[in-house]
């Protein structure tokens, strides 16, 4: 076998080749791109015997995506995506000086896949369709997060010079709110807005009870509030107008990406299984599928899927001390989606609701109870995907009927 450490950067890759004894066979710095990958194939070819299969070449690299990684997988090599934190800890085993270089990291990665590859995971063989869902679902969620950041900035600015706007508008992401802030971003111009102008914005946004809402908004905008000097107000107004324009664009692009997510997700063969799960719709289902991937052999059992999800707890024991803690190292996007699913499942699944209520009755906090519920739901999803069956309420929670609940580790999803 041949073991390759690949320390990547934006423009180049430092690689080092080892044999099964750890002896260095070669090293090189290769440029990113087609020419670099061709040189890597040539370097590997010089050190493997004729007739050796490509999967006898084992490569360690600190990423699981990108065209370079896809080229390695396409060549048939066994590629391990090693967490950079693991590489840092492994480096400290062999050097206490704190020295670090790209070439040394390539050597470290080659050693890791030679001696400790059983501790790591081969990059999953997700389908192109599953990868596409991941891309569009992440893009959609990123835009949502960006909108939240800009809304907070807008709210902060309005509180500083125009508190009447916060009293008048209950949702700063609405089209009518943004339209009115664009034409009247300061207290003076907002107080001059007529009922017809306000009503027109509400009608364009398809709001109900337009007359009542317009009247309430006008009253709130004309109320007395503390303000800022005129020149400061003008400066804030310019920034608010810019934030409003950004939010209008974000709203449009979020809707566009939402359509893309639903289109890609709807064509996936596992979509119906995901949609059958309580609390999962097209958007959440796509996010969960994208982050878990669709390689059917990636997770050996429900426990490994829960561990990857970050919903299962970790135990720290030393001597007589033993504590069970939540996992704080996890995929942020996946744990966010699973938390949202657990919350939605409270009203979609009687079994999920009963489990949550039982946890709360034992004085488990709201967030901890949701996390434990999410952990159960991940196990149920794993079972459905392994058997190719849709979610069934009675089957999913049958183990809880007629007796004491089992521990999470005892439940086979």
């Amino acid at each position: 076998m041949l073991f390759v450490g690949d320390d990547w950067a934006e423009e180049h890759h430092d690689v080092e080749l080892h044999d099964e004894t750890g002896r260095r066979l070669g090293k090189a710095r290769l440029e990113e791109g087609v020419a670099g990958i061709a040189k890597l194939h040539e370097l590997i070819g010089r050190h493997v015997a004729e007739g050796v299969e490509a999967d006898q070449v084992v490569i360690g690299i600190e990423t699981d995506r990108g065209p370079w990684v896809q080229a390695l997988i396409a060549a048939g090599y066994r590629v391990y995506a090693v967490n950079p934190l693991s590489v840092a800890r492994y480096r400290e085993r062999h050097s206490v000086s704190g020295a670090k270089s790209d070439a040394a990291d390539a050597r470290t990665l080659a050693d890791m896949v030679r001696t400790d590859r059983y501790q790591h995971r081969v990059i999953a063989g997700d389908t192109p369709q599953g990868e596409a869902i991941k891309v569009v679902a992440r893009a959609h969620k990123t835009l949502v997060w960006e909108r939240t950041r800009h809304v907070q900035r807008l709210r902060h600015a309005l509180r500083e010079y125009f508190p009447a706007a916060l009293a008048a508008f209950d949702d700063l992401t609405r089209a009518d709110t943004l339209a009115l802030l664009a034409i009247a971003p300061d207290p003076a111009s907002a107080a001059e807005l007529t009922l017809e102008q306000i009503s027109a914005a509400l009608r364009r946004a398809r709001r109900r009870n337009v007359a009542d809402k317009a009247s309430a908004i006008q009253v709130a905008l004309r109320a007395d509030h503390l303000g800022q000097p005129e020149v400061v107000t003008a400066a804030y107004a310019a920034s608010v107008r810019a934030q409003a324009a950004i939010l209008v664009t974000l709203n449009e692009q979020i809707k566009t990406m939402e359509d893309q997510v639903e289109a890609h997700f709807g064509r996936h063969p596992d979509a119906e299984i995901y949609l059958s799960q309580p609390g999962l719709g097209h958007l959440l289902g796509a996010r969960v599928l994208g982050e878990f991937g669709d390689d059917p052999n990636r997770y050996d059992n429900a426990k490994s899927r829960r561990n990857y999800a970050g919903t299962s707890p970790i135990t720290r024991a030393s001597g007589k001390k033993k504590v069970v803690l939540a996992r704080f190292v996890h995929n942020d996007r996946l744990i966010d989606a699973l938390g949202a699913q657990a919350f939605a499942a409270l009203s979609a699944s009687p079994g999920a609701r009963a489990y949550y209520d039982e946890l709360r009755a034992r004085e488990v906090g709201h967030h901890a109870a949701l996390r434990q519920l999410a952990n159960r739901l991940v196990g149920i999803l794993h079972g459905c995907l392994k058997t190719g069956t849709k979610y069934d309420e009675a089957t999913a929670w049958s183990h809880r009927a007629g007796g004491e609940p089992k521990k999470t580790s005892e439940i086979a999803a």
Side-chain angles (χ1 to χ4, degrees):
M1 297 182 70
L2 188 68
F3 303 95
V4 182
D6 185 337
D7 185 73
W8 70 279
E10 185 175 343
E11 297 180 351
H12 65 266
H13 294 252
D14 282 275
V15 298
E16 184 161 314
L17 283 64
H18 290 184
D19 64 12
E20 294 184 359
T21 66
R23 181 170 62 94
R24 187 174 72 191
L25 302 176
K27 59 184 295 186
R29 170 166 286 192
L30 308 175
E31 65 269 29
E32 172 73 25
V34 175
I37 203 73
K39 291 177 182 177
L40 177 61
H41 293 329
E42 181 184 352
L43 183 61
I44 290 173
R46 292 203 300 265
H47 296 285
V48 293
E50 185 177 351
V52 173
E53 297 294 331
D55 64 357
Q56 295 302 295
V57 177
V58 182
I59 299 178
I61 188 170
E62 293 177 289
T63 182
D64 63 350
R65 56 186 179 272
W68 183 278
V69 173
Q70 291 302 313
L72 297 177
I73 296 172
Y77 304 142
R78 266 191 285 168
V79 184
Y80 288 80
V82 184
N83 190 302
L85 290 177
S86 296
V87 177
R89 299 298 177 269
Y90 193 91
R91 187 192 307 121
E92 291 170 359
R93 291 169 53 185
H94 301 280
S95 174
V96 296
S97 67
K100 182 187 182 303
S101 69
D102 293 343
D105 282 351
R107 184 182 312 115
T108 298
L109 285 162
D111 274 335
M112 290 184 74
V113 293
R114 181 177 64 85
T115 61
D116 292 337
R117 62 183 179 278
Y118 65 92
Q119 297 280 12
H120 303 280
R121 190 189 302 274
V122 176
I123 293 178
D126 293 335
T127 65
Q129 196 171 6
E131 186 66 23
I133 291 172
K134 180 179 179 179
V135 170
V136 294
R138 282 191 169 189
H140 173 266
K141 187 57 182 178
T142 298
L143 289 174
V144 172
W145 281 337
E146 285 299 316
R147 180 174 64 183
T148 300
R149 293 188 181 99
H150 282 284
V151 166
Q152 294 302 326
R153 292 167 186 157
L154 177 59
R155 182 179 298 279
H156 176 76
L158 292 173
R159 186 175 59 84
E160 292 294 320
Y161 84 107
F162 191 8
L166 296 179
F169 306 123
D170 57 350
D171 186 349
L172 295 180
T173 64
R174 283 189 174 275
D176 52 294
T177 299
L178 297 174
L180 292 172
L181 286 175
I183 62 175
D186 59 85
S189 58
E192 295 176 357
L193 287 174
T194 65
L195 283 175
E196 182 54 36
Q197 288 175 303
I198 299 173
S199 299
L202 294 174
R203 282 193 293 268
R204 285 194 298 269
R206 299 181 180 180
R207 298 290 298 273
R208 297 179 180 178
N209 302 321
V210 170
D212 294 339
K213 285 187 172 71
S215 178
I217 290 173
Q218 186 183 59
V219 170
L221 292 176
R222 292 180 176 181
D224 292 332
H225 288 277
L226 297 176
Q228 294 274 11
E230 184 176 348
V231 64
V232 177
T233 297
Y236 271 117
S239 70
V240 163
R241 188 180 284 110
Q243 290 290 346
I246 292 172
L247 285 167
V248 168
T249 301
L250 283 172
N251 283 338
E252 293 172 352
Q253 295 308 312
I254 286 171
K255 182 62 175 69
T256 299
M257 290 309 303
E258 183 177 318
D259 294 339
Q260 288 292 317
V261 171
E262 292 184 0
H264 282 280
F265 180 64
R267 292 192 292 266
H268 196 280
D270 291 337
E272 291 188 2
I273 295 177
Y274 277 88
L275 291 175
S276 70
Q277 306 296 310
L280 286 186
H282 283 82
L283 292 178
L284 272 183
R287 289 174 58 197
V288 174
L289 187 156
E291 298 305 327
F292 272 136
D294 60 357
D295 182 354
N297 302 314
R298 182 173 185 178
Y299 306 100
D300 295 332
N301 48 46
K303 181 180 179 181
S304 64
R305 189 182 288 269
R306 291 187 181 112
N307 290 346
Y308 177 77
T311 54
S312 60
I314 58 172
T315 302
R316 290 184 178 178
S318 179
K320 296 182 179 180
K321 184 178 179 180
K322 180 179 179 180
V323 293
V324 179
L325 304 171
R327 290 177 185 262
F328 291 102
V329 177
H330 51 242
N331 181 328
D332 290 343
R333 293 176 181 271
L334 179 56
I335 202 71
D336 178 81
L338 294 173
Q341 180 201 1
F343 184 75
L346 296 179
S347 56
S349 165
R353 182 79 221 191
Y355 179 63
Y356 171 84
D357 289 342
E358 181 181 298
L359 292 172
R360 296 291 284 141
R362 285 189 278 159
E363 299 184 352
V364 176
H366 169 68
H367 293 292
L370 279 183
R371 185 169 57 249
Q372 292 188 45
L373 174 58
N375 196 45
R376 295 278 179 149
L377 293 173
V378 169
I380 293 169
L381 172 64
H382 181 83
C384 290
L385 291 171
K386 280 294 183 182
T387 58
T389 56
K390 295 182 183 180
Y391 173 85
D392 178 76
E393 181 73 19
T395 304
W397 303 96
S398 60
H399 62 277
R400 298 182 53 75
E404 290 295 320
K406 299 178 182 179
K407 295 180 180 178
T408 302
S409 59
E410 296 175 350
I411 298 172

